Amino acid sequence: MYAITIAEPGGPEVLTWTEVPDESPEPGEVLVEVAASAVNRADLMQRQGFYEPPPGASPYPGLEASGRIVAVGAGVSGWAVGDQVCALLAGGGYAERVRVPVGLLLPVPKGVDPVSAAGLPEVVCTVWSNVFMVAHLRRGENFLVHGGSSGIGTMAIQLASALGARIFTTAGSEAKLARCRELGADVTINYREEDFVARVQEATDGAGVDVVLDNMGAKYLDRNVDALAVNGRLVVIGLQGGARGELDLNKLLRKRAAIAATSLRARPLAEKSAIVAAVREHVWPLIESGRIAPIIDRVMPMSEAAAAHRLVEESSHIGKVLLSVH
Ligand SMILES: NC(=O)c1ccc[n+]([C@@H]2O[C@H](COP(=O)([O-])OP(=O)(O)OC[C@H]3O[C@@H](n4cnc5c(N)ncnc54)[C@H](OP(=O)(O)O)[C@@H]3O)[C@@H](O)[C@H]2O)c1
């Protein structure tokens, strides 16, 4: 089979479509013939040598994929050859075939085409696990998501809107903010021109937001806490603005607020399977009813993985950039 390999850490040009050993499913796994995978920011870090795959994971990039089951390992029930699926992966999506533990499989939702389904697992599982399972965002609460036009942001806005929150979001251009409003954002903030803390305080009569989903890490730590309401919850999922921050803990203490930080990829299979099961129960019906959808910027052929990485690096996309195999 062929897969995108990383010849050596470096720029997008190190991604090459290479012949690699064939895969066959281990017990408890299926083999999926990949229709498409998606570019996640983590793939850029893996390509640069800053994000090693966890032990036992495929060395090829790709944290999600969609496709058709072509072989079933021992002890697998409930899934059969021919099923159209999408899956959360610890790696290996940029390939013709990928092995998937059954706990990480989801059916392609009704009404979603099999290629677009490749853009769902990573963002839906990340948003559901952090915003709802960790931060317990509730109907009527104020929710701030940074980078509203990102893959994560477009899903966070839609899900929080479907579940009745009031949504604040940041993005770097007016066109991106307009798209965020179409998806359900109530208050949109251009982070290049405006102070998001001031906008949040103004729009909440000084109360602040109940939950922040943050991609920036250190750069926004102090200001995210300033934006929080009493009993607020900040969840950090990205470190685009650095990993080492400084915080006046007195602010956190006075607000009785909480900070969590999580990463999905390296979690034990049982934990990821529980997240996938929760997503199937709570989010899949919202997709199948048409209430929320994968937001796809474009689909590029896998052979253009390098160009897709450049696009995401420049942040010229809105939603997901997919890589189709055939
Ligand atoms: N912890 C986990 O398990 C997990 C899982 C998935 C993703 N993530 C993280 O979630 C984040 C989004 O992932 P993605 O794949 O959806 O990325 P993406 O589509 O590449 O989006 C990156 C976003 O960062 C925004 N951004 C850049 N500078 C900003 C600033 N100063 N203030 C606010 N936003 C800023 C960009 O906004 P503009 O384009 O408007 O400039 C863009 O929307 C990444 O940090 C990623 O590492 C974490």
Side-chain angles (χ1 to χ4, degrees):
M1 69 172 207
Y2 276 76
I4 291 284
T5 58
I6 300 171
E8 55 181 345
E13 69 285 350
V14 302
L15 301 173
T16 37
W17 190 233
T18 314
E19 190 162 11
V20 298
D22 268 334
E23 298 274 13
S24 57
E26 301 283 325
E29 295 180 345
V30 301
L31 187 66
V32 172
E33 182 179 69
V34 175
S37 186
V39 181
N40 284 282
R41 194 144 278 265
D43 306 343
L44 314 185
M45 284 156 39
Q46 179 172 342
R47 192 202 71 219
Q48 292 165 326
F50 299 133
Y51 194 32
E52 284 295 305
S58 165
Y60 319 130
L63 299 178
E64 56 194 332
S66 62
R68 191 175 62 93
I69 295 179
V70 289
V72 169
V76 169
S77 59
W79 300 95
V81 169
D83 286 352
Q84 296 280 356
V85 294
C86 53
L88 184 68
L89 305 172
Y94 291 21
E96 287 184 307
R97 285 180 281 285
V98 64
R99 291 191 284 124
V100 186
V102 285
L104 304 186
L105 286 172
L106 288 154
V108 169
K110 290 183 196 73
V112 176
D113 69 89
V115 167
S116 298
L120 285 170
E122 176 72 16
V123 291
V124 173
C125 290
T126 301
V127 171
W128 186 263
S129 59
N130 286 290
V131 177
F132 296 94
M133 295 168 79
V134 173
H136 301 290
L137 180 68
R138 287 181 288 266
R139 182 170 293 280
E141 284 193 322
N142 289 314
F143 170 55
L144 167 64
V145 54
H146 289 296
S149 66
S150 66
I152 292 287
T154 52
M155 184 51 64
I157 291 170
Q158 291 186 87
L159 257 177
S161 169
L163 297 172
R166 181 179 181 220
I167 297 147
F168 295 67
T169 196
T170 56
S173 77
E174 283 312 314
K176 288 179 176 178
L177 293 172
R179 187 73 181 107
C180 293
R181 285 191 290 275
E182 285 169 11
L183 293 172
D186 299 286
V187 179
T188 54
I189 305 160
N190 187 330
Y191 71 77
R192 296 182 201 277
E193 295 171 1
E194 299 172 282
D195 173 12
F196 72 83
V197 179
R199 287 291 309 281
V200 160
Q201 297 300 351
E202 173 193 284
T204 58
D205 293 329
V209 289
D210 302 289
V211 173
V212 178
L213 183 65
D214 175 68
N215 60 334
M216 295 305 292
K219 185 174 178 184
Y220 279 1
L221 177 62
D222 191 50
R223 288 159 73 209
N224 277 333
V225 172
D226 285 342
L228 280 182
V230 169
N231 293 317
R233 292 86 73 195
L234 162 64
V235 192
V236 179
I237 61 163
L239 302 173
Q240 288 170 234
R244 286 175 182 269
E246 200 175 284
L247 180 67
D248 175 356
L249 287 169
N250 198 26
K251 286 187 193 173
L252 204 63
L253 185 147
R254 281 199 313 265
K255 290 187 174 178
R256 304 184 294 286
I259 302 177
T262 80
S263 166
L264 189 56
R265 186 183 197 181
R267 286 206 206 185
L269 177 58
E271 281 185 31
K272 287 196 280 194
S273 301
I275 291 168
V276 167
V279 155
R280 188 168 178 180
E281 181 185 348
H282 297 288
V283 184
W284 249 228
L286 294 170
I287 299 173
E288 296 194 334
S289 70
R291 181 67 182 80
I292 64 178
I295 303 303
I296 309 300
D297 183 271
R298 72 192 71 185
V299 183
M300 300 170 74
M302 189 65 81
S303 56
E304 291 178 22
H309 272 221
R310 280 189 199 99
L311 191 91
V312 172
E313 236 148 32
E314 289 161 4
S315 219
S316 45
H317 61 296
I318 293 180
K320 301 287 294 192
V321 176
L322 303 186
L323 293 169
S324 67
V325 172
H326 290 295

